[in-house]
Amino acid sequence: SQQGEEDPQALSIQEGENATMNCSYKTSINNLQWYRQNSGRGLVHLILIRSNEREKHSGRLRVTLDTSKKSSSLLITASRAADTASYFCATGFSGGYNKLIFGAGTRLAVHP
Amino acid sequence: DTGVSQDPRHKITKRGQNVTFRCDPISEHNRLYWYRQTLGQGPEFLTYFQNEAQLEKSRLLSDRFSAERPKGSFSTLEIQRTEQGDSAMYLCASSLAAPPEQYFGPGTRLTVT
């Protein structure tokens, strides 16, 4: 079973617009990670935020984490056609290893 | 490119046949994971190795599935007596203990006819 749920399931925007994807999860976590998947490159790690962090930036990516609401958001600013992909949140847990539980993903389409 | 590699990339087999997939992780990574992904869903955890020790198996991994990592380097995932429901993308990932980001291979797409 999957821990997280992404919202929306699909998102269609124009190049240059911002894209926001949300993720909710059910149990306590150690960290939350976002991955991108497209047919050309498979699953690629984007950014990790730890449970004691509230916000993190990496280039055009901004991730927030609200552990009280068990939710996270991923913002992609100034989107490009190359950002077209599926985006997954994945929760990681403490306890000595790094098993990830993925959500069902958001399919993002960025139109030129 | 010294990323995670998987072989084969595609496998078509008939129901009831056995199949074996191979994963070669990033060389310095001691942690190796197998996931399964079906169309429109996120990856689902199957099993985890730390070095050669298999430390966790998902309930998704029925008795027909077995995974090994004999020398703590490459890993194999075998499915015996395949069923149509086994059709999926099988993903392998590796990581260090810290940081916990996982690096995924391109996957093996299994089709059971």
Side-chain angles (χ1 to χ4, degrees), chain A residues 37-64:
Chain A
Q37 185 177 40
N38 58 33
S39 57
R41 290 198 60 195
L43 265 165
V44 175
H45 179 266
L46 295 177
I47 193 167
L48 177 150
I49 186 165
R50 299 191 184 279
S51 59
N52 61 353
E53 298 175 311
R54 292 297 168 258
E55 186 171 313
K56 206 158 183 183
H57 297 255
S58 176
R60 295 184 295 113
L61 306 180
R62 172 180 170 252
V63 169
T64 62

Side-chain angles (χ1 to χ4, degrees), chain A residues 49-109:
Chain A
I49 186 165
R50 299 191 184 279
S51 59
N52 61 353
E53 298 175 311
R54 292 297 168 258
E55 186 171 313
K56 206 158 183 183
H57 297 255
S58 176
R60 295 184 295 113
L61 306 180
R62 172 180 170 252
V63 169
T64 62
L65 179 64
D66 186 334
T67 52
S68 67
K69 295 181 179 178
K70 292 187 170 57
S71 67
S72 174
S73 68
L74 172 68
L75 169 67
I76 304 173
T77 59
S79 62
R80 306 166 181 167
D83 294 328
T84 295
S86 290
Y87 291 80
F88 296 92
C89 69
T91 47
F93 308 90
S94 56
Y97 58 90
N98 303 322
K99 175 178 77 174
L100 294 175
I101 305 296
F102 285 81
T106 292
R107 291 182 301 282
L108 173 65

Side-chain angles (χ1 to χ4, degrees), chain A residues 1-2 30-31 33 35 37 42-43 45 48 50 88 96-105 107, chain B residues 31 33 35 37 40-45 48 50 56 91 95-102 104-105:
Chain A
S1 63
Q2 301 194 295
N30 174 272
N31 63 82
Q33 304 178 36
Y35 287 80
Q37 185 177 40
L43 265 165
H45 179 266
L48 177 150
R50 299 191 184 279
F88 296 92
Y97 58 90
N98 303 322
K99 175 178 77 174
L100 294 175
I101 305 296
F102 285 81
R107 291 182 301 282
Chain B
R31 299 183 176 201
Y33 310 81
Y35 294 85
Q37 185 177 25
Q41 298 298 312
E44 293 180 294
F45 172 78
Y48 156 73
Q50 183 168 312
E56 185 177 357
L91 296 166
S95 77
L96 297 167
E101 296 96 289
Q102 294 184 17
F104 282 81

Side-chain angles (χ1 to χ4, degrees), chain B residues 6 19-23 32-36 44-58 60-80 90-93:
Chain B
Q6 293 186 244
V19 293
T20 300
F21 310 141
R22 177 180 170 123
C23 170
L32 187 147
Y33 310 81
W34 285 97
Y35 294 85
R36 181 172 68 187
E44 293 180 294
F45 172 78
L46 292 179
T47 191
Y48 156 73
F49 289 87
Q50 183 168 312
N51 300 312
E52 65 274 11
Q54 187 175 20
L55 298 185
E56 185 177 357
K57 291 170 59 174
S58 164
L60 292 173
L61 220 61
S62 75
D63 291 344
R64 297 184 297 106
F65 288 71
S66 63
E68 293 183 342
R69 195 183 182 196
K71 298 182 180 179
S73 56
F74 73 91
S75 175
T76 58
L77 177 68
E78 181 183 16
I79 309 174
Q80 296 183 327
Y90 289 84
L91 296 166
C92 176

